[in-house]
Amino acid sequence: MVQNSIASICIAVALAHSTLGCVATGIIDFDRALPSQAVFISPLAHTVLGVDGNFRNNSFTEFFNPTCTKPPFFQVFDASFLSILGSNASIRAIASNSTFAFAHEAPIWNPSTDDIFFASNDGGPLGNSDIDHSNLVGKISLLEAAQAIESSGDSTSSINVNVTELNLPDTIQMTNGGTGPYRGNLLLITSGRGQRPPSIALVNPQEPHNATVLLDNFFGRQFNSLNDIKVHPTSGKFFFTDVIYGWLNHFRPEPLMPSQVYRFDPDTGAVRVVADGFDKCNGIAFTKDGQTAYVTDTGSSGGFLGNNQTTPATIYQFDVDPKTEAFLNRRVFAYVDTGVPDGIQVDIDGNVYSGCGDGVQVWNAEGTLLGKVFLGTTSANMVFAGKGKLVIMAETAIYLAQITAEGMDLAAFS
């Protein structure tokens, strides 16, 4: 890690992969201080590795960490990332359990209680869930985390707050995505289990956590395994992805429909497809004005079929038709260098965040990779908890990145 207290700093940049040694090769000047848990990596310093270069062969098991910095830390590729981080940015684990992937997906911040809700891994490693057992939905208190951080006396050491498991009705099976609160409720999307259908449901964040299923079929046919959901920021309609991971993780039947993006009107019940042509569509998000949509395609991650680096690990960008809200003018926004882009969020300035194989990667609205919250492990999703707090799901741990960026108000219709 690089320690600095002056306005103009010089950072030595390394080329070699972390497992093969680090060699400082370049000097970069900044006009602002670099946070203590951040390193700068010049894109120019690794454009050519040469015939004897330390090339990566596997995007799922080999990380790009040329400075050999111990995670967690921030990788800065572009000076504008410092405006997102701020001068006092920090990152630490705030909850962990090495034996249970309790923090996989569906992160929701409930502003009224300052709690973060989330779901455990559904059918994957350390998820303790399968065709006979559903995954779990839990929560942590950010107030408790803040008190523990204050007691710790420093800005980097890990803490471990209590995780409270929710006792949900049997209609909620294999929760994988979530957003809101929506009209005071958690808006959850489930993959289903066995013949129990995938669904969209409202769940009371307060006990007894009663649930109301809003949708569980497409004109009489079950979805494959619903994955992620967002509420359009201006129309209030639901947009969600359906993919085949339930089958790939052995807890759902063989797929019956393509992997597609759907639009659902919770007031009329109308549901229709708005985008197709994906390998495995996954995360979804909108810009603040609702005119642009992002969908991740995790085609490279194949469950029991194995990983395939020649299939998509890609974020696609779309225009949202102002009348029909169909997704138009599909184009590549970003192709990630490590793992796949899973859950996705957009901040109020239009910067895009996605959980990837090495942590959270961040791009500006033009698709330039600005930097990473480098965890050295997979993150499937993250959520802003008010201004300056990014809460990151990392399977067996939850991380809190205290930065200056601010997320969109996902509870706008509550």
Side-chain angles (χ1 to χ4, degrees), residues 163-236:
V163 175
T164 302
E165 294 178 357
L166 277 60
N167 183 18
L168 298 183
D170 194 52
T171 50
I172 307 300
Q173 296 289 325
M174 294 294 200
T175 300
N176 192 80
T179 191
Y182 176 79
R183 297 175 179 171
N185 295 283
L186 307 177
L187 180 57
L188 301 184
I189 193 163
T190 77
S191 295
R193 181 167 61 88
Q195 290 302 319
R196 303 177 189 215
S199 66
I200 297 173
L202 294 178
V203 173
N204 189 341
Q206 306 293 335
E207 292 183 341
H209 304 302
N210 46 297
T212 302
V213 174
L214 302 179
L215 179 70
D216 71 358
N217 72 95
F218 181 75
F219 297 94
R221 285 194 289 172
Q222 289 192 15
F223 295 101
N224 296 323
S225 48
L226 299 183
N227 192 279
D228 201 4
I229 188 168
K230 286 292 193 305
V231 180
H232 191 274
T234 60
S235 74

Coordinates of all heavy atoms in Angstrom, one line a residue, residues 163-236:
V163 N -25.1 -11.4 12.0 CA -26.0 -11.6 10.9 C -27.3 -12.3 11.4 O -27.3 -13.3 12.1 CB -25.4 -12.6 9.8 CG1 -26.4 -12.9 8.7 CG2 -24.1 -12.0 9.3
T164 N -28.4 -11.6 11.1 CA -29.7 -12.1 11.5 C -30.4 -12.8 10.3 O -30.6 -12.2 9.2 CB -30.6 -11.0 12.0 OG1 -30.0 -10.4 13.1 CG2 -32.0 -11.5 12.4
E165 N -30.8 -14.1 10.4 CA -31.5 -14.8 9.4 C -33.0 -14.5 9.4 O -33.5 -14.6 10.5 CB -31.1 -16.3 9.4 CG -29.7 -16.6 9.1 CD -29.4 -18.1 9.3 OE1 -30.3 -18.8 9.6 OE2 -28.2 -18.5 9.0
L166 N -33.6 -14.3 8.3 CA -35.0 -14.1 8.2 C -35.8 -15.4 8.1 O -35.3 -16.3 7.3 CB -35.4 -13.2 7.1 CG -35.3 -11.7 7.3 CD1 -33.8 -11.3 7.6 CD2 -35.7 -10.9 6.1
N167 N -36.8 -15.6 8.7 CA -37.7 -16.8 8.6 C -38.8 -16.4 7.6 O -39.8 -15.8 7.9 CB -38.3 -17.1 9.9 CG -39.1 -18.4 9.8 OD1 -39.0 -19.2 8.9 ND2 -40.0 -18.6 10.8
L168 N -38.6 -16.8 6.3 CA -39.5 -16.4 5.2 C -40.5 -17.5 4.9 O -40.2 -18.7 5.1 CB -38.6 -16.0 4.0 CG -37.7 -14.9 4.1 CD1 -37.0 -14.6 2.8 CD2 -38.4 -13.6 4.6
P169 N -41.6 -17.1 4.3 CA -42.6 -18.1 3.9 C -42.0 -19.1 2.9 O -41.1 -18.8 2.2 CB -43.7 -17.3 3.4 CG -43.5 -15.9 3.9 CD -42.0 -15.8 4.1
D170 N -42.7 -20.3 2.8 CA -42.2 -21.3 1.9 C -42.4 -20.9 0.4 O -41.8 -21.6 -0.5 CB -43.1 -22.6 2.1 CG -42.5 -23.8 1.5 OD1 -41.3 -24.0 1.7 OD2 -43.2 -24.5 0.8
T171 N -43.1 -19.8 0.1 CA -43.2 -19.4 -1.3 C -41.9 -18.7 -1.8 O -41.8 -18.6 -3.0 CB -44.4 -18.4 -1.4 OG1 -44.2 -17.3 -0.4 CG2 -45.7 -19.0 -1.2
I172 N -41.0 -18.4 -0.9 CA -39.8 -17.7 -1.3 C -38.7 -18.8 -1.4 O -38.2 -19.3 -0.3 CB -39.3 -16.6 -0.3 CG1 -40.5 -15.6 -0.1 CG2 -38.1 -15.9 -0.7 CD1 -40.9 -14.9 -1.3
Q173 N -38.3 -19.2 -2.6 CA -37.4 -20.3 -2.8 C -36.2 -19.8 -3.7 O -36.3 -19.4 -4.8 CB -38.1 -21.4 -3.5 CG -39.2 -22.1 -2.7 CD -38.6 -22.9 -1.5 OE1 -37.5 -23.5 -1.6 NE2 -39.3 -22.9 -0.4
M174 N -35.0 -19.9 -3.1 CA -33.7 -19.6 -3.8 C -33.7 -18.1 -4.3 O -33.7 -17.8 -5.5 CB -33.5 -20.5 -5.0 CG -33.2 -21.9 -4.6 SD -31.7 -22.1 -3.6 CE -31.4 -23.9 -3.9
T175 N -33.8 -17.2 -3.3 CA -33.7 -15.8 -3.6 C -32.3 -15.5 -4.3 O -31.3 -15.9 -3.7 CB -33.8 -14.9 -2.3 OG1 -35.1 -15.2 -1.8 CG2 -33.7 -13.4 -2.7
N176 N -32.3 -14.8 -5.4 CA -31.1 -14.4 -6.0 C -30.9 -12.9 -6.3 O -29.8 -12.4 -6.4 CB -30.9 -15.2 -7.4 CG -29.5 -15.1 -7.9 OD1 -28.6 -15.8 -7.5 ND2 -29.3 -14.1 -8.8
G177 N -32.0 -12.2 -6.4 CA -31.9 -10.8 -6.7 C -32.9 -10.0 -5.8 O -33.8 -10.6 -5.2
G178 N -32.6 -8.7 -5.7 CA -33.5 -7.9 -4.9 C -33.2 -6.4 -5.1 O -32.1 -6.0 -5.5
T179 N -34.2 -5.6 -4.8 CA -34.0 -4.1 -4.9 C -35.0 -3.5 -4.0 O -35.9 -4.1 -3.4 CB -34.1 -3.6 -6.4 OG1 -33.7 -2.3 -6.4 CG2 -35.5 -3.7 -6.9
G180 N -35.0 -2.1 -4.0 CA -36.0 -1.4 -3.2 C -35.3 -0.7 -2.0 O -34.1 -0.4 -2.0
P181 N -36.1 -0.5 -0.9 CA -37.5 -1.0 -0.7 C -38.5 -0.4 -1.8 O -38.3 0.7 -2.2 CB -37.8 -0.6 0.7 CG -36.5 -0.4 1.4 CD -35.6 0.1 0.3
Y182 N -39.5 -1.2 -2.1 CA -40.5 -0.8 -3.0 C -41.8 -0.7 -2.3 O -42.3 -1.7 -1.7 CB -40.6 -1.8 -4.2 CG -41.7 -1.5 -5.1 CD1 -41.6 -0.5 -6.1 CD2 -43.0 -2.2 -5.1 CE1 -42.6 -0.3 -7.0 CE2 -44.0 -1.9 -6.0 CZ -43.8 -1.0 -6.9 OH -44.8 -0.7 -7.8
R183 N -42.3 0.5 -2.1 CA -43.5 0.7 -1.4 C -43.4 0.1 0.0 O -44.3 -0.5 0.6 CB -44.8 0.2 -2.1 CG -45.0 0.9 -3.4 CD -46.1 0.3 -4.3 NE -46.3 1.1 -5.5 CZ -47.1 0.7 -6.5 NH1 -47.8 -0.4 -6.4 NH2 -47.2 1.5 -7.6
G184 N -42.2 0.3 0.6 CA -42.0 -0.2 2.0 C -41.6 -1.6 2.1 O -41.3 -2.0 3.2
N185 N -41.5 -2.4 1.0 CA -41.2 -3.8 1.1 C -39.9 -4.1 0.4 O -39.5 -3.4 -0.5 CB -42.3 -4.6 0.5 CG -43.6 -4.5 1.2 OD1 -43.8 -5.2 2.3 ND2 -44.6 -3.7 0.7
L186 N -39.3 -5.2 0.8 CA -38.2 -5.7 0.0 C -38.8 -6.3 -1.3 O -39.8 -7.1 -1.3 CB -37.5 -6.8 0.7 CG -37.0 -6.5 2.2 CD1 -36.3 -7.7 2.8 CD2 -36.0 -5.3 2.2
L187 N -38.2 -6.0 -2.4 CA -38.6 -6.6 -3.7 C -37.6 -7.7 -4.1 O -36.5 -7.4 -4.5 CB -38.7 -5.5 -4.8 CG -39.1 -5.9 -6.2 CD1 -40.5 -6.6 -6.2 CD2 -39.1 -4.8 -7.1
L188 N -38.0 -8.9 -3.9 CA -37.1 -10.1 -4.1 C -37.5 -10.8 -5.4 O -38.7 -10.8 -5.8 CB -37.2 -11.0 -3.0 CG -36.9 -10.5 -1.6 CD1 -36.9 -11.6 -0.5 CD2 -35.5 -9.8 -1.6
I189 N -36.5 -11.3 -6.0 CA -36.7 -12.2 -7.2 C -36.0 -13.5 -6.9 O -34.9 -13.6 -6.4 CB -36.2 -11.5 -8.5 CG1 -36.7 -12.3 -9.7 CG2 -34.7 -11.4 -8.5 CD1 -36.6 -11.4 -11.0
T190 N -36.7 -14.6 -7.2 CA -36.3 -15.9 -6.8 C -36.0 -16.8 -8.0 O -36.7 -16.7 -9.1 CB -37.3 -16.6 -5.9 OG1 -38.4 -17.1 -6.6 CG2 -37.8 -15.7 -4.8
S191 N -35.1 -17.8 -7.9 CA -34.8 -18.8 -8.9 C -35.8 -20.0 -8.9 O -35.7 -20.8 -9.8 CB -33.4 -19.2 -8.8 OG -32.5 -18.1 -9.1
G192 N -36.5 -20.1 -7.8 CA -37.3 -21.3 -7.7 C -36.5 -22.5 -7.3 O -35.3 -22.4 -7.3
R193 N -37.2 -23.6 -7.0 CA -36.4 -24.8 -6.6 C -37.3 -26.1 -6.9 O -38.4 -26.1 -6.6 CB -36.1 -24.8 -5.1 CG -35.4 -26.0 -4.6 CD -34.8 -25.7 -3.2 NE -35.9 -25.5 -2.2 CZ -36.5 -26.5 -1.5 NH1 -36.2 -27.7 -1.7 NH2 -37.5 -26.1 -0.6
G194 N -36.7 -27.0 -7.7 CA -37.5 -28.1 -8.2 C -38.6 -27.6 -9.0 O -38.4 -26.9 -10.0
Q195 N -39.8 -28.1 -8.7 CA -41.0 -27.7 -9.4 C -41.6 -26.4 -8.8 O -42.6 -25.9 -9.3 CB -42.0 -28.8 -9.5 CG -41.6 -29.9 -10.4 CD -41.3 -29.5 -11.8 OE1 -42.1 -28.7 -12.4 NE2 -40.3 -30.1 -12.4
R196 N -41.0 -25.9 -7.7 CA -41.5 -24.6 -7.2 C -41.1 -23.5 -8.1 O -39.9 -23.3 -8.3 CB -41.0 -24.5 -5.7 CG -41.3 -25.6 -4.8 CD -40.7 -25.4 -3.5 NE -40.9 -26.7 -2.7 CZ -41.1 -26.7 -1.4 NH1 -41.2 -25.5 -0.7 NH2 -41.2 -27.8 -0.7
P197 N -42.0 -22.7 -8.5 CA -41.7 -21.8 -9.6 C -40.9 -20.6 -9.2 O -41.0 -20.1 -8.1 CB -43.1 -21.3 -10.1 CG -43.9 -21.4 -8.8 CD -43.4 -22.6 -8.1
P198 N -40.0 -20.1 -10.1 CA -39.3 -18.8 -9.9 C -40.4 -17.7 -9.7 O -41.5 -17.8 -10.3 CB -38.5 -18.6 -11.1 CG -38.3 -20.0 -11.7 CD -39.6 -20.7 -11.3
S199 N -40.1 -16.6 -9.0 CA -41.1 -15.7 -8.7 C -40.5 -14.3 -8.4 O -39.4 -14.2 -8.1 CB -42.0 -16.1 -7.6 OG -41.2 -16.2 -6.4
I200 N -41.4 -13.3 -8.5 CA -41.2 -12.0 -8.0 C -42.1 -11.8 -6.8 O -43.3 -12.1 -6.9 CB -41.4 -10.9 -9.0 CG1 -40.5 -11.0 -10.2 CG2 -41.3 -9.5 -8.4 CD1 -40.8 -10.1 -11.4
A201 N -41.6 -11.3 -5.7 CA -42.4 -11.2 -4.5 C -42.0 -9.9 -3.7 O -40.9 -9.5 -3.7 CB -42.2 -12.4 -3.6
L202 N -43.0 -9.4 -2.9 CA -42.8 -8.4 -2.0 C -42.7 -9.0 -0.6 O -43.5 -9.9 -0.2 CB -43.9 -7.4 -2.0 CG -44.1 -6.5 -3.2 CD1 -45.3 -5.6 -3.1 CD2 -42.8 -5.7 -3.5
V203 N -41.7 -8.6 0.2 CA -41.5 -9.2 1.5 C -41.4 -8.1 2.5 O -40.6 -7.1 2.3 CB -40.2 -10.1 1.6 CG1 -39.9 -10.6 3.0 CG2 -40.4 -11.3 0.7
N204 N -42.1 -8.2 3.6 CA -42.1 -7.2 4.7 C -40.7 -7.2 5.4 O -40.3 -8.3 5.8 CB -43.2 -7.5 5.7 CG -43.3 -6.4 6.7 OD1 -42.5 -5.6 6.9 ND2 -44.5 -6.4 7.4
P205 N -40.0 -6.1 5.4 CA -38.7 -6.2 6.1 C -38.8 -6.3 7.6 O -37.8 -6.6 8.2 CB -38.1 -4.8 5.7 CG -39.2 -3.9 5.4 CD -40.3 -4.8 4.8
Q206 N -40.0 -6.2 8.1 CA -40.2 -6.3 9.6 C -40.8 -7.7 9.8 O -41.5 -8.2 8.9 CB -41.1 -5.2 10.1 CG -40.6 -3.8 9.8 CD -39.3 -3.5 10.5 OE1 -39.0 -4.1 11.6 NE2 -38.6 -2.6 10.0
E207 N -40.6 -8.3 11.0 CA -41.2 -9.5 11.3 C -42.8 -9.3 11.3 O -43.2 -8.2 11.7 CB -40.8 -10.0 12.7 CG -39.3 -10.4 12.7 CD -38.9 -10.9 14.1 OE1 -39.6 -10.6 15.1 OE2 -37.9 -11.6 14.2
P208 N -43.5 -10.3 10.9 CA -43.1 -11.7 10.6 C -42.7 -11.9 9.2 O -42.7 -13.1 8.7 CB -44.4 -12.5 10.9 CG -45.5 -11.5 10.4 CD -45.0 -10.2 10.8
H209 N -42.2 -10.9 8.4 CA -41.7 -11.0 7.1 C -42.7 -11.7 6.1 O -42.3 -12.6 5.3 CB -40.4 -11.8 7.1 CG -39.4 -11.2 8.0 ND1 -38.9 -9.9 7.9 CD2 -38.7 -11.7 9.1 CE1 -38.0 -9.6 8.8 NE2 -37.9 -10.7 9.6
N210 N -44.0 -11.3 6.2 CA -45.0 -11.9 5.3 C -44.7 -11.5 3.9 O -44.1 -10.5 3.6 CB -46.4 -11.4 5.7 CG -46.4 -9.9 6.0 OD1 -45.7 -9.4 6.9 ND2 -47.1 -9.1 5.2
A211 N -45.0 -12.4 3.0 CA -44.6 -12.2 1.5 C -45.9 -12.3 0.7 O -46.8 -13.0 0.9 CB -43.7 -13.3 1.1
T212 N -45.8 -11.5 -0.4 CA -46.8 -11.5 -1.5 C -46.2 -11.8 -2.8 O -45.4 -11.0 -3.3 CB -47.6 -10.2 -1.5 OG1 -48.2 -9.9 -0.2 CG2 -48.7 -10.2 -2.6
V213 N -46.5 -12.9 -3.4 CA -46.0 -13.2 -4.7 C -46.7 -12.4 -5.8 O -48.0 -12.4 -5.8 CB -46.1 -14.7 -5.0 CG1 -45.6 -15.0 -6.5 CG2 -45.2 -15.5 -4.0
L214 N -46.0 -11.7 -6.6 CA -46.6 -10.8 -7.7 C -46.6 -11.5 -9.0 O -47.5 -11.2 -9.9 CB -45.8 -9.5 -7.8 CG -45.8 -8.7 -6.5 CD1 -45.0 -7.4 -6.8 CD2 -47.1 -8.3 -6.0
L215 N -45.7 -12.4 -9.3 CA -45.5 -13.0 -10.6 C -44.8 -14.3 -10.5 O -43.7 -14.4 -9.8 CB -44.8 -12.1 -11.6 CG -44.6 -12.6 -13.0 CD1 -45.9 -12.7 -13.8 CD2 -43.6 -11.8 -13.8
D216 N -45.3 -15.4 -11.1 CA -44.6 -16.7 -11.1 C -44.7 -17.5 -12.4 O -44.4 -18.7 -12.4 CB -45.0 -17.6 -9.9 CG -46.4 -18.2 -10.0 OD1 -47.1 -17.9 -11.0 OD2 -46.7 -18.9 -9.1
N217 N -45.1 -16.8 -13.5 CA -45.2 -17.5 -14.7 C -45.2 -16.5 -15.9 O -45.5 -15.3 -15.7 CB -46.4 -18.4 -14.8 CG -47.7 -17.6 -14.9 OD1 -48.2 -17.4 -16.0 ND2 -48.2 -17.2 -13.7
F218 N -45.0 -17.0 -17.1 CA -45.1 -16.3 -18.3 C -46.2 -17.0 -19.1 O -46.0 -18.0 -19.8 CB -43.8 -16.3 -19.1 CG -43.9 -15.5 -20.4 CD1 -43.9 -14.1 -20.4 CD2 -43.9 -16.1 -21.6 CE1 -43.9 -13.4 -21.6 CE2 -44.0 -15.4 -22.8 CZ -44.0 -14.0 -22.8
F219 N -47.4 -16.5 -19.0 CA -48.6 -17.0 -19.7 C -48.7 -18.5 -19.5 O -48.9 -19.3 -20.4 CB -48.6 -16.7 -21.2 CG -48.7 -15.2 -21.5 CD1 -47.5 -14.4 -21.6 CD2 -49.9 -14.6 -21.5 CE1 -47.6 -13.1 -21.8 CE2 -50.0 -13.2 -21.7 CZ -48.8 -12.4 -21.9
G220 N -48.5 -18.9 -18.2 CA -48.7 -20.4 -17.9 C -47.4 -21.2 -17.9 O -47.4 -22.3 -17.4
R221 N -46.3 -20.6 -18.4 CA -45.1 -21.4 -18.4 C -44.2 -20.8 -17.3 O -44.1 -19.6 -17.1 CB -44.3 -21.2 -19.7 CG -44.9 -22.1 -20.8 CD -43.9 -22.1 -22.0 NE -43.8 -20.9 -22.7 CZ -42.9 -20.7 -23.7 NH1 -42.0 -21.6 -24.0 NH2 -42.9 -19.5 -24.3
Q222 N -43.5 -21.7 -16.6 CA -42.5 -21.3 -15.6 C -41.3 -20.6 -16.2 O -40.9 -21.0 -17.3 CB -42.1 -22.5 -14.7 CG -43.1 -23.0 -13.7 CD -42.5 -23.9 -12.7 OE1 -41.3 -24.0 -12.5 NE2 -43.3 -24.7 -12.0
F223 N -40.8 -19.6 -15.6 CA -39.5 -19.1 -16.0 C -38.4 -20.1 -15.7 O -38.6 -21.1 -15.0 CB -39.2 -17.8 -15.3 CG -40.2 -16.7 -15.6 CD1 -41.2 -16.3 -14.7 CD2 -40.0 -15.9 -16.7 CE1 -42.1 -15.3 -15.0 CE2 -40.9 -14.9 -17.0 CZ -41.9 -14.6 -16.2
N224 N -37.2 -19.9 -16.3 CA -36.1 -20.8 -16.0 C -35.6 -20.7 -14.6 O -35.7 -21.6 -13.8 CB -35.0 -20.5 -17.0 CG -35.4 -20.8 -18.5 OD1 -36.1 -21.7 -18.7 ND2 -34.9 -19.9 -19.4
S225 N -35.0 -19.6 -14.3 CA -34.6 -19.3 -12.9 C -34.3 -17.8 -12.8 O -33.3 -17.3 -13.3 CB -33.4 -20.1 -12.4 OG -32.4 -20.1 -13.3
L226 N -35.3 -17.0 -12.3 CA -35.1 -15.6 -12.3 C -33.9 -15.1 -11.5 O -33.5 -15.8 -10.5 CB -36.4 -14.9 -11.7 CG -37.7 -15.2 -12.5 CD1 -38.9 -14.5 -11.9 CD2 -37.6 -14.9 -14.0
N227 N -33.3 -14.0 -12.0 CA -32.0 -13.7 -11.4 C -31.8 -12.4 -10.8 O -31.4 -12.3 -9.6 CB -30.9 -13.9 -12.6 CG -29.5 -13.8 -12.1 OD1 -28.9 -12.8 -11.8 ND2 -28.9 -15.0 -11.9
D228 N -32.2 -11.3 -11.5 CA -32.0 -9.9 -10.9 C -33.1 -9.0 -11.4 O -33.8 -9.3 -12.4 CB -30.7 -9.4 -11.4 CG -30.2 -8.3 -10.5 OD1 -30.8 -8.0 -9.4 OD2 -29.1 -7.6 -10.8
I229 N -33.3 -7.9 -10.6 CA -34.5 -7.1 -10.9 C -34.2 -5.6 -10.5 O -33.4 -5.4 -9.5 CB -35.7 -7.6 -10.0 CG1 -37.0 -6.8 -10.4 CG2 -35.4 -7.5 -8.5 CD1 -38.2 -7.4 -9.8
K230 N -34.7 -4.7 -11.2 CA -34.7 -3.3 -10.9 C -36.0 -2.6 -11.2 O -36.7 -3.1 -12.1 CB -33.6 -2.5 -11.7 CG -32.1 -2.8 -11.2 CD -31.8 -2.3 -9.9 CE -30.3 -2.3 -9.6 NZ -29.7 -3.6 -9.7
V231 N -36.3 -1.6 -10.5 CA -37.5 -0.8 -10.8 C -37.1 0.4 -11.7 O -36.1 1.1 -11.3 CB -38.2 -0.3 -9.5 CG1 -39.4 0.6 -9.8 CG2 -38.5 -1.4 -8.6
H232 N -37.8 0.6 -12.8 CA -37.4 1.7 -13.7 C -37.6 3.0 -12.9 O -38.6 3.3 -12.2 CB -38.3 1.8 -14.9 CG -37.8 2.7 -15.9 ND1 -38.2 4.0 -15.9 CD2 -37.0 2.6 -17.0 CE1 -37.6 4.7 -17.0 NE2 -36.9 3.8 -17.6
P233 N -36.6 3.9 -12.9 CA -36.6 5.1 -12.0 C -37.7 6.1 -12.3 O -37.9 7.0 -11.4 CB -35.2 5.7 -12.2 CG -34.7 5.2 -13.5 CD -35.3 3.8 -13.7
T234 N -38.3 6.1 -13.5 CA -39.4 7.1 -13.8 C -40.7 6.4 -14.0 O -41.7 7.0 -13.6 CB -39.0 7.9 -15.0 OG1 -38.9 7.1 -16.1 CG2 -37.7 8.7 -14.8
S235 N -40.8 5.3 -14.6 CA -42.1 4.7 -14.8 C -42.6 3.8 -13.7 O -43.8 3.5 -13.6 CB -42.1 3.8 -16.1 OG -41.3 2.6 -15.9
G236 N -41.7 3.3 -12.9 CA -42.0 2.4 -11.8 C -42.3 0.9 -12.2 O -42.7 0.1 -11.4

